[in-house]
Amino acid sequence: MTSKEYKDLSVKEFTKAAEIYESDNAGVYNMCKKDYPDVLAELEKETFTDLLDCGCGTGPMLTLLHRKYPDKHYIGIDLTPKMIEVAKRKKLKGVELVVGDCENLPFAENSFDVVICCESFHHYPNPQDFFSSVYRVLRPGGRLILRDMTMNSAAVRWFCNTIEMPLAHLIGKGDVRIYGRNDIRKLCDNSGLHMESFEKRGFCRLHCVARKLQSTVAQYDSITDSYKQSRNIYDDVLTQDKWWSKLYIRLFWNGVDDNKIAEKVLSCIPDGFSGKLLDVPVGTAVFTHKKYTKLKNADISCLDYSQDMLSQARERLNDLENITLVQGDVGKLPYKNESFDTVLSMNGFHAFPDKRAAFRETYRVLKKGGKFIACFYIEGESKVTDSLVRNFLVKKGWFTPPFDTADKLKKRLQKAYDLTDFKVEGSMVYFCAVKR
């Protein structure tokens, strides 16, 4: 079924159930009541001011919260208008009720301290959209408390998702899918949320807490410290100048040659280029310094968060008068909208803590028709490389999850760019995209 068909089925199901949803005659919906004490207990662990209840139904959880914390601000959102109509009859002070789609939450960024979702998530046909939307509306340090159905056995989940749910559709149920621990972890990673806990409680209930990390500043500082410690080997690893770096690349990166990838990426910038170019992060300029000597008529800005990286880049680029070196955050670029004809990003996006902000900012400062040229690590191409990244490079602070797969990255780019080149070599991607 399509997303719309799933959602229409859910609206039809819960329109019928709305009037009896909280009664003793609610049937299977009575099971939801078992989730409420655990959610209340989770909320007691930390203070909060603003809470969003996703899939709030007729507002049973909001009623409990209003009684316990009457001075807080609550918003409930549900796809079914009849559910919201019944919830509004309670006339709870300080509680706003909204008809809307939890996969596209109609609220501003950083609006809530807590988002709760009880027994609604398995109705969402686009689960990643929900997680990404939650990340957007949560404040730094805020939590998602998720309660839903699960089964430990992958075989049982397969049976439920492949056999049971399609049969349930025939009797008017809008269920889409149930998830296991790894499914939820991946959804968290891809949205930028940190999964703090995942438990199976009772017969078939998952209890998950995921958090939007407090600040990327500390993460950037950690990355800076990591690169400072590795400054003596950074260039050697990338350029494979040493025997051990050649062995490392061959064993863990399928022999992918960064020198050749850099050559292909930089070939997207003609030697006669005379516009404005942003290089972020410039790193040590190990690959770009030779290219920049040919761009005598270009106006080049090189930005990096690490002063240590900038100092090494400055040594290489010191003789070029058309280059400006700036310390800054890619998530908050210090440039006006549509300032650059080209944005270049080599081996950077896999390290950026806030990749959403990085994509948003590079798009913002690029002129319409300008080129976004980049190369970086993507997951899903090599189990060996993915294991190295997850178990070593992330822990050392050199890489920061979440990471895109090739397919996800291409879809992300195609929303705003025309791809003139998109190639995958090993676990590295390089592309040239033109802003529409």
Side-chain angles (χ1 to χ4, degrees):
M1 292 200 302
T2 66
S3 293
K4 184 178 184 303
E5 288 171 333
Y6 275 120
K7 292 176 184 181
D8 288 346
L9 196 56
S10 288
V11 169
K12 186 176 180 180
E13 173 188 352
F14 287 103
T15 298
K16 292 180 180 179
E19 294 290 355
I20 64 165
Y21 190 74
E22 294 184 57
S23 73
D24 293 335
N25 299 317
V28 69
Y29 306 120
N30 275 321
M31 295 176 62
C32 300
K33 297 176 182 178
K34 298 179 181 179
D35 292 326
Y36 305 154
D38 283 0
V39 175
L40 289 171
E42 197 68 53
L43 288 170
E44 288 174 358
K45 296 178 182 180
E46 297 179 24
T47 59
F48 68 94
T49 300
D50 300 287
L51 180 144
L52 174 65
D53 185 353
C54 287
C56 67
T58 57
M61 190 69 214
L62 291 171
T63 303
L64 294 174
L65 288 168
H66 184 261
R67 289 173 185 165
K68 186 165 185 175
Y69 305 104
D71 59 331
K72 308 298 184 183
H73 173 238
Y74 304 100
I75 296 181
I77 182 171
D78 201 282
L79 190 63
T80 304
K82 186 65 176 179
M83 288 291 224
I84 294 297
E85 176 190 323
V86 174
K88 284 183 176 180
R89 294 175 194 167
K90 298 179 178 181
K91 297 182 179 179
L92 299 173
K93 186 178 180 181
V95 177
E96 298 178 44
L97 295 160
V98 178
V99 176
D101 190 340
C102 293
E103 294 179 355
N104 185 22
L105 294 170
F107 310 109
E109 292 184 17
N110 305 324
S111 294
F112 301 97
D113 304 299
V114 185
V115 174
I116 63 173
C117 184
C118 299
E119 298 305 323
S120 173
F121 180 60
H122 64 276
H123 288 274
Y124 302 166
N126 304 295
Q128 190 64 69
D129 289 348
F130 168 70
F131 270 79
S132 297
S133 204
V134 167
Y135 178 90
R136 183 180 61 79
V137 302
L138 274 176
R139 291 176 180 137
R143 294 176 294 162
L144 166 66
I145 302 172
L146 178 66
R147 297 280 302 191
D148 212 88
M149 297 188 296
T150 191
M151 290 290 180
N152 284 339
S153 168
V156 174
R157 292 199 304 275
W158 178 89
F159 176 82
C160 291
N161 293 331
T162 309
I163 307 296
E164 183 181 23
M165 288 191 180
L167 291 175
H169 297 157
L170 299 177
I171 59 171
K173 298 293 183 183
D175 301 25
V176 177
R177 186 178 182 83
I178 64 172
Y179 302 88
R181 176 190 295 269
N182 289 338
D183 299 319
I184 300 298
R185 182 182 296 280
K186 188 170 184 179
L187 291 167
C188 285
D189 287 346
N190 288 339
S191 68
L193 291 170
H194 170 65
M195 192 172 85
E196 291 189 343
S197 64
F198 182 101
E199 303 171 58
K200 180 175 176 289
R201 295 185 179 179
F203 170 62
C204 62
R205 286 291 186 275
L206 72 81
H207 181 93
C208 175
V209 178
R211 189 181 300 273
K212 182 175 180 176
L213 297 178
Q214 274 285 354
S215 173
T216 58
V217 173
Q219 291 176 282
Y220 273 118
D221 288 344
S222 175
I223 293 170
T224 298
D225 290 342
S226 298
Y227 279 102
K228 188 172 185 178
Q229 294 170 16
S230 64
R231 63 172 294 169
N232 293 326
I233 65 170
Y234 179 79
D235 288 355
D236 289 335
V237 171
L238 289 179
T239 60
Q240 301 182 53
D241 274 352
K242 308 293 184 182
W243 68 267
W244 53 265
S245 61
K246 288 185 174 68
L247 182 62
Y248 165 76
I249 296 297
R250 185 175 297 120
L251 291 177
F252 296 105
W253 290 88
N254 297 314
V256 172
D257 192 334
D258 280 322
N259 296 285
K260 292 182 179 178
I261 290 179
E263 183 179 336
K264 293 173 182 176
V265 169
L266 293 174
S267 69
C268 294
I269 306 171
D271 290 345
F273 176 77
S274 58
K276 294 187 67 176
L277 182 148
L278 172 64
D279 183 354
V280 55
V282 64
T284 63
V286 63
F287 290 127
T288 53
H289 69 286
K290 291 182 180 178
K291 178 71 175 184
Y292 290 164
T293 61
K294 302 176 182 179
L295 306 181
K296 300 183 185 299
N297 297 318
D299 181 354
I300 302 172
S301 297
C302 297
L303 182 142
D304 205 292
Y305 193 82
S306 168
Q307 288 286 10
D308 189 70
M309 289 287 188
L310 286 171
S311 66
Q312 294 181 70
R314 190 170 286 110
E315 292 177 10
R316 284 194 167 107
L317 303 172
N318 192 45
D319 295 335
L320 302 177
E321 296 181 355
N322 60 329
I323 292 182
T324 303
L325 290 147
V326 179
Q327 193 278 333
D329 179 356
V330 67
K332 297 178 181 178
L333 291 173
Y335 307 107
K336 294 180 180 180
N337 294 349
E338 300 189 2
S339 296
F340 296 94
D341 301 286
T342 297
V343 174
L344 173 68
S345 183
M346 298 184 66
N347 300 308
F349 267 79
H350 52 242
F352 297 152
D354 192 341
K355 295 176 178 61
R356 286 175 169 274
F359 277 113
R360 182 178 64 245
E361 284 291 272
T362 51
Y363 177 85
R364 180 183 65 80
V365 302
L366 186 63
K367 295 177 182 178
K368 185 176 181 179
K371 292 181 179 179
F372 176 31
I373 306 166
C375 64
F376 47 85
Y377 160 76
I378 51 172
E379 70 176 7
E381 300 296 323
S382 165
K383 291 183 179 180
V384 172
T385 305
D386 291 347
S387 179
L388 169 76
V389 170
R390 183 172 59 253
N391 297 310
F392 182 71
L393 299 180
V394 168
K395 292 179 180 179
K396 292 293 290 184
W398 293 324
F399 285 37
T400 308
F403 307 108
D404 278 345
T405 62
D407 184 58
K408 184 177 179 182
L409 175 62
K410 179 176 282 190
K411 290 179 180 178
R412 182 198 298 276
L413 292 170
Q414 287 175 333
K415 291 179 180 179
Y417 298 92
D418 293 321
L419 292 176
T420 61
D421 197 11
F422 188 95
K423 298 288 176 57
V424 175
E425 292 190 14
S427 293
M428 292 292 292
V429 64
Y430 61 92
F431 58 83
C432 178
V434 178
K435 180 176 177 178
R436 289 197 291 269

